[in-house]
Amino acid sequence: DALIEMAPSQLVARAHAPEGGGGALHITSHLQLERQRARGRLLCVQCGRFLAGYRGLRWHAQAVHGEEYGAAVVFAEEASSSQLALAPQHNRTAIASEALRAEWAAAAEARAAK
């Protein structure tokens, strides 16, 4: 019932139709985005898949989307800094990573309690 009362903008973090997706629409909820962030995974904004951190996203951009190495690095760095609100994952310390995961877990629990 709580979900029915929420506005779509409160539920949906990102919605997009991937290029060559045959008309598919990918929708990512705020809850799913936070769960993936807490696991250190980053969203590929081109196709909607979650990848294991900076390196995983950089490799994915090269292998799946055909990006050159330099462009893939920029792509992964932008995703890291915008999605994690910190420096790219390969530059973060384990302590900062754990603190961030704890913050996201607390935010998810606070939302669930509403």
Side-chain angles (χ1 to χ4, degrees):
D1 292 330
L3 292 179
I4 296 171
E5 296 172 6
M6 296 177 82
S9 63
Q10 292 175 303
L11 293 173
V12 177
R14 177 163 171 55
H16 75 284
E19 195 172 307
L25 179 63
H26 292 193
I27 299 172
T28 304
S29 70
H30 287 288
L31 180 59
Q32 176 65 1
L33 189 58
E34 285 188 17
R35 283 179 177 161
Q36 294 296 331
R37 285 175 175 170
R39 293 181 177 104
R41 299 173 63 87
L42 297 173
L43 175 66
C44 174
V45 295
Q46 290 184 357
C47 69
R49 291 189 63 194
F50 284 92
L51 291 302
Y54 169 86
R55 287 185 181 153
L57 184 56
R58 179 186 44 88
W59 178 87
H60 172 80
Q62 288 180 269
V64 176
H65 299 299
E67 299 284 347
E68 295 291 329
Y69 178 80
V73 166
V74 170
F75 181 77
E77 285 178 350
E78 288 175 354
S80 292
S81 62
S82 67
Q83 292 180 40
L84 296 179
L86 287 175
Q89 184 165 341
H90 65 286
N91 290 337
R92 290 188 288 134
T93 65
I95 294 170
S97 179
E98 289 304 313
L100 188 58
R101 286 188 178 116
E103 183 180 323
W104 285 325
E109 288 176 15
R111 263 200 324 283
K114 288 183 181 179

